[in-house]
Amino acid sequence: MASTNTIDASEIEKFQAMAAEWWDPNGKFKPLHMLNPCRLDYITSQIAAEFGRDLTSPLPFKGLRILDIGCGGGLLSEPMARLGATVVGADAAERNIPVATLHAEQQGLNIDYRHTSAEALVAAGETFDAVMNMEVVEHVSDPLAFLTACRDLLKPGGLMTCSTINRNPKSYAMAIFGAEYVMRWLPKGTHEWSKFITPDELYELLAKAGLDPVDRKGFVFNPITWSWRLSNRDLSVNYVTASVRSS
């Protein structure tokens, strides 16, 4: 069982300061709003495949309990609730929770948002069919301890999707210099390049945490169409993995 607190206070403060802007598609979270359809396509297809669900049916995720760890304002939690899942959204940044809760209520959605951590959820004995762990692991103090906590939150046979940013010169140019300094999509200092994780490193961390990595794909931005797509080969900047708790 996980017991280490992997919350990085300085990282949390960055997102506290931006909490009110979560649902502004042209605000500080514009990159996530642009990426969200691509993220959802991957997550929903992986969950549907793992649990034998038909995404064309009404409420295909009914009966599944899903955790959105690092939920922010609820950009992923809300679509999962609309698909019928029972959703818990957890975030270590306290200011995110009322923002997420109010928006869900305005949409007529019942989502259990909590100001808590993965480790605290483990200590409380919570378990889930699926964990969405998106753009969080590069912000924690101890990635292995954090991923181990996420593993402990999965039921046997449960699925975790985990995305982050690769560490190479291209990712520095695009995710930090481009997004924070040129496009000014994010406040300067939102990301630390040294905390980025390569796909091979993440696969090794997932395995050490007791998970079986089963898939990985890249999120690729097209500056011509101003849109994102999934790629089987290009994991050079943003990428996502799927892993399963087999026992």
Side-chain angles (χ1 to χ4, degrees):
M1 299 289 283
S3 58
T4 306
N5 185 344
T6 58
I7 293 172
D8 185 326
S10 63
E11 292 289 324
I12 297 305
E13 186 54 37
K14 295 174 188 176
F15 292 96
Q16 291 268 40
M18 298 186 284
E21 297 198 44
W22 271 105
W23 289 97
D24 179 0
N26 295 306
K28 291 184 172 70
F29 294 102
K30 182 177 181 177
L32 277 184
H33 282 273
M34 294 170 63
L35 179 58
N36 221 36
C38 201
R39 296 197 302 172
L40 285 167
D41 181 34
Y42 184 84
I43 294 167
T44 56
S45 64
Q46 289 292 321
I47 292 175
E50 185 65 27
F51 295 98
R53 302 302 178 95
D54 179 2
L55 288 172
T56 64
S57 66
L59 304 177
F61 291 168
K62 188 174 183 178
L64 295 179
R65 190 167 192 248
I66 297 178
L67 171 66
D68 183 5
I69 190 73
C71 63
L75 270 63
L76 291 172
S77 293
E78 289 196 6
M80 293 299 128
R82 288 192 176 94
L83 291 171
T86 299
V87 180
V88 174
D91 206 294
E94 187 173 5
R95 292 180 199 168
N96 287 339
I97 301 306
V99 173
T101 300
L102 177 61
H103 195 274
E105 289 174 353
Q106 291 171 339
Q107 302 300 309
L109 297 171
N110 182 20
I111 299 172
D112 182 2
Y113 285 116
R114 307 181 194 177
H115 172 225
T116 189
S117 66
E119 294 80 15
L121 288 167
V122 172
E126 301 270 5
T127 57
F128 301 87
D129 298 291
V131 172
M132 299 185 295
N133 178 3
M134 309 295 282
E135 290 85 44
V136 178
V137 69
E138 72 270 23
H139 296 289
V140 301
S141 61
D142 186 336
L144 178 57
F146 172 66
L147 292 172
T148 301
C150 291
R151 183 261 183 195
D152 291 340
L153 289 167
L154 283 172
K155 299 175 184 176
L159 175 83
M160 181 175 75
T161 54
C162 179
S163 65
T164 189
I165 306 175
N166 203 339
R167 189 181 68 257
N168 54 38
K170 183 178 179 181
S171 70
Y172 182 88
M174 295 185 68
I176 295 181
F177 183 74
E180 296 181 14
Y181 288 82
V182 178
M183 302 305 296
R184 297 185 180 179
W185 280 340
L186 294 167
K188 294 175 183 177
T190 298
H191 289 108
E192 292 182 36
W193 184 79
S194 63
K195 287 191 170 186
F196 290 174
I197 302 170
T198 70
D200 287 347
E201 287 170 348
L202 184 56
Y203 255 38
E204 183 177 352
L205 285 167
L206 291 168
K208 285 182 177 178
L211 291 157
D212 297 324
V214 294
D215 186 67
R216 63 186 183 186
K217 285 184 171 59
F219 293 134
V220 180
F221 182 67
N222 185 327
I224 306 300
T225 61
W226 212 245
S227 63
W228 292 83
R229 65 176 176 83
L230 286 168
S231 171
N232 290 320
R233 292 177 294 179
D234 187 352
L235 282 69
S236 59
V237 184
N238 297 78
Y239 68 96
V240 61
T241 65
S243 53
V244 175
R245 175 174 179 173
S246 57
S247 62

